[in-house]
Amino acid sequence: MPNSLVAIYPGSFDPPTNGHLDVISRGARLVNHLIVAVLQNTHKNSLFTIGERAEMLKEITAHLTNVEIDSFDGLLVDYAVRRNTSTILRGIRSVSDYETESQMALLNRRMRPETETLFLTASAEHSFLSSRMVKEIITLGGDASVFVPEPVMRRLQAKSHSAKE
Ligand code: PNS
């Protein structure tokens, strides 16, 4: 397809939230093909394996025909070369997000000048939401069902049940 726009939406997605799904749904309307790419080389304390995160992302985006779920390790700009695109998509919730996101965008552009990062402003109802907070709520016995899609909630419940056993 001429002028076909392919973008990568990278992230940890541990777990995917309604905020991620909002960015994916809105991003998928703006580009021809959206690759949601789960970072593999994470040093963060993760709750879900890369495979589990990819499976959850597949389930919650099954209705979006131009969305692909993949994973990557190493530098994002190198992965973008492998996927033959220069366009990155990220969501921004707050001024503090802007600071880290603009730093990442500038670093990526310095490493690979053709890289462009597109930012979507988080919808107001998701502007306070993060995977870290969802994990904390679940760990402390709270109800996170309004913050995550249903398939993610099921897996969170399964994790917290198995942790109690
Ligand atoms: O969901 P997150 O944790 O905010 O996503 C961060 C992510 C995956 C976009 C970022 O850590 C990343 O791109 N990592 C890959 C390594 C890399 O390219 N680092 C240099 C640019 S910051």
Side-chain angles (χ1 to χ4, degrees), residues 115-132:
T115 308
E116 290 293 356
T117 306
L118 306 178
F119 294 112
L120 285 181
T121 315
S123 299
E125 66 267 37
H126 303 128
S127 60
F128 53 85
L129 191 52
S130 72
S131 298
R132 191 170 61 83

Side-chain angles (χ1 to χ4, degrees), residues 2 9 11 30 46-47 53 55 96 103 127 140-141 146 160:
Y9 177 42
L30 299 175
S46 46
L47 181 62
R53 292 181 229 174
E55 269 177 42
S96 59
Q103 187 187 13
S127 60
L140 298 174
V146 290
S160 68

Side-chain angles (χ1 to χ4, degrees), residues 10-12 39 44 72 74-76 90 104 108 111:
S12 306
L39 177 68
K44 293 177 189 172
F72 75 106
L75 287 174
L76 177 59
R90 290 285 286 171
M104 275 203 284
N108 286 334
M111 288 189 281

